[in-house]
Amino acid sequence: TIFPFAAISAPSTLTSLSLSNNNISSIPDDLKTLTGLKHLDLAANNISALPASIFGRLSVLRSLSVKGNPITFLPLTLGGLEHLEYLDFDPGLLTSPPRDISIKSVQALLHYIRRAYAGRASGHLDLSQSELSEIPEEVTHWS
């Protein structure tokens, strides 16, 4: 099931959206039109991927909950969200960012994602002192 985000009127004035406990399986590109969104709750659905293109436009997003979804990859574009303070997810399912990072804390995860995002933008990726036990996908899938 796909939620029709385009049906929401005045998208820039919507600041909080909770779609938890539904049967949503994917997030349409229209979500990026909700540029005033500060809180997004997508918990307990059937979402398997977070489209990277969406988060570049949600610049004021402060909290994101995707716990209870079969998500294995958090897009690096989350690192561009300067105001993101709260991220609720299932660390046991993640393959990227690496488990070494995802099991620590939300702050450690956000710090890692921000460093990786900045590295993509600058061409200089510094993951020193990240306590990694293996080379992460962010390095091997650099593009």
Side-chain angles (χ1 to χ4, degrees):
T1 307
I2 299 173
F3 183 82
F5 290 100
I8 299 173
S9 62
S12 63
T13 61
L14 184 66
T15 60
S16 182
L17 179 60
S18 178
L19 294 167
S20 64
N21 297 293
N22 284 290
N23 195 29
I24 297 170
S25 58
S26 64
I27 303 170
D29 206 42
D30 291 339
L31 180 66
K32 68 183 176 188
T33 65
L34 305 177
T35 56
L37 212 54
K38 292 180 181 178
H39 308 281
L40 179 59
D41 185 355
L42 298 169
N45 278 288
N46 197 28
I47 299 166
S48 60
L50 296 176
S53 62
I54 289 172
F55 294 101
R57 297 280 309 272
L58 302 180
S59 61
V60 296
L61 193 66
R62 293 185 177 278
S63 70
L64 173 64
S65 179
V66 293
K67 191 173 186 127
N69 287 288
I71 294 170
T72 59
F73 181 86
L74 292 177
L76 291 183
T77 52
L78 290 174
L81 301 176
E82 297 175 14
H83 303 287
L84 188 63
E85 304 167 339
Y86 176 81
L87 179 60
D88 193 19
F89 61 97
D90 294 311
L93 298 175
L94 290 182
T95 58
S96 180
R99 182 166 172 72
D100 298 334
I101 302 298
S102 65
I103 62 171
K104 288 183 181 180
S105 69
V106 171
Q107 284 70 32
L109 178 86
L110 288 173
H111 179 72
Y112 173 88
I113 289 174
R114 287 181 176 128
R115 286 174 73 183
Y117 178 78
R120 281 273 167 98
S122 70
H124 176 78
L125 180 60
D126 181 2
L127 297 177
S128 58
Q129 300 181 0
S130 294
E131 300 177 23
L132 297 168
S133 61
E134 60 188 24
I135 296 174
E137 281 184 45
E138 291 76 24
V139 174
T140 58
H141 292 101
W142 192 269
S143 59

